[in-house]
């Protein structure tokens, strides 16, 4: 099975999205490396008992991947909704 190439919809936003991920997860109490905010997924995986490591992880089940990505993506979405609601209230 080919690896997915996940690219942001808006070109050039990858660094900003990674930084946002780091900010959100730091507020959730995770230790985030400012030089590599994407590495927070390894801390989440360890906390969830998922054997995630750098490199190929094709042996992970969808359930295991969801245990790692769900908290990260879910917290990012919650924060984006909060920010949007705040902007609407200012109008």
């Amino acid at each position: 099975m080919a690896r997915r190439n996940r690219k942001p919809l808006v070109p050039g936003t990858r660094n900003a999205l990674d930084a946002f991920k780091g900010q959100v997860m730091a507020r959730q109490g995770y230790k985030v490396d400012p030089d590599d905010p994407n590495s927070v997924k390894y801390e989440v995986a360890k906390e969830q008992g998922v054997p995630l490591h750098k490199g190929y992880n094709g042996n992970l089940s969808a359930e295991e991947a969801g245990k790692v990505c769900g908290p990260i993506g879910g917290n990012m979405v919650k924060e984006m909704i909060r920010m949007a609601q705040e902007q609407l209230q200012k109008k």
Side-chain angles (χ1 to χ4, degrees):
M1 183 180 224
R3 183 174 177 214
R4 284 182 151 172
N5 187 11
R6 295 187 183 250
K7 292 191 259 182
L9 186 59
V10 179
T13 59
R14 171 56 58 202
N15 290 339
L17 284 169
D18 284 344
F20 179 66
K21 179 190 306 181
Q23 292 168 358
V24 169
M25 295 310 287
R27 279 190 227 124
Q28 294 295 317
Y30 289 94
K31 189 171 109 181
V32 178
D33 178 1
D35 296 327
D36 186 17
N38 198 38
S39 66
V40 73
K41 66 185 173 187
Y42 300 107
E43 186 177 343
V44 173
K46 185 177 178 182
E47 183 180 272
Q48 297 292 326
V50 175
L52 181 72
H53 57 280
K54 292 190 183 217
Y56 180 73
N57 285 287
N59 58 329
L60 294 180
S61 68
E63 181 181 2
E64 291 172 319
K67 284 181 179 181
V68 175
C69 298
I72 295 171
N75 284 313
M76 288 176 69
V77 169
K78 285 177 191 175
E79 180 62 16
M80 285 185 269
I81 289 170
R82 187 200 62 73
M83 291 166 61
Q85 288 174 335
E86 189 175 282
Q87 287 179 353
L88 286 172
Q89 289 177 352
K90 289 181 182 178
K91 289 186 176 184

